[in-house]
Amino acid sequence: MTSDDLQPGANPQPVGEFPKKRNVVPTARTPRRYLVSMAIVWASAVVGVLLVAWFAPHETRAAWLAMVFAATVVLTFVIQLALQRPKGFLHRATMSTLGALIVLAAGTLILQLTAGSG
């Protein structure tokens, strides 16, 4: 490498080596739109459980809850792809889906416990 190859402010790296990482401190702050995107999926899971509880017969509730979960997974990917932010995609998608799964598990438990009283 010659002095003609260097530009002011350039950080020269030997050929074939990866650039050194700078000291980057990750922030714990998550943008509000990411939290809103996850909350939308969780809220749709709650609405789905309530609709299944009110309208589905006892015998078919498990199948309907599985369809609600499938719909929340599709909704997760639609919302996260609409954000067009690749950084953190896997984390956001996982948290949205996991939250919906927890909501549906709690709803399933409540529906099973109250099945005999209806």
Side-chain angles (χ1 to χ4, degrees), residues 9 17-18 20 31 34 50 57 67 71 77 112:
E17 290 188 22
F18 292 107
K20 294 182 180 179
Y34 297 160
L50 292 175
M67 286 189 261
F77 284 106
Q112 285 298 322

Side-chain angles (χ1 to χ4, degrees), residues 37 52 82 87:
S37 70
V52 168
K87 186 176 181 181

Side-chain angles (χ1 to χ4, degrees), residues 57-112:
H58 293 288
E59 303 81 31
T60 61
R61 284 184 177 171
W64 281 106
L65 288 170
M67 286 189 261
V68 169
F69 181 65
T72 58
V73 170
V74 170
L75 180 64
T76 294
F77 284 106
V78 167
I79 290 173
Q80 297 306 324
L81 291 173
L83 286 176
Q84 296 182 355
R85 301 280 186 208
K87 186 176 181 181
F89 171 80
L90 190 59
H91 181 262
R92 294 188 312 271
T94 302
M95 294 308 295
S96 295
T97 306
L98 182 62
L101 182 64
I102 291 170
V103 167
L104 286 166
T108 302
L109 180 65
I110 292 169
L111 289 176
Q112 285 298 322

Side-chain angles (χ1 to χ4, degrees), residues 3-11:
S3 62
D4 296 327
D5 294 334
L6 297 177
Q7 297 176 4
N11 190 6

Side-chain angles (χ1 to χ4, degrees), residues 12-36:
Q13 294 291 326
V15 177
E17 290 188 22
F18 292 107
K20 294 182 180 179
K21 292 184 179 179
R22 296 183 180 161
N23 292 335
V24 178
V25 178
T27 61
R29 188 176 163 103
T30 303
R32 179 173 282 171
R33 66 177 167 259
Y34 297 160
L35 296 175
V36 169

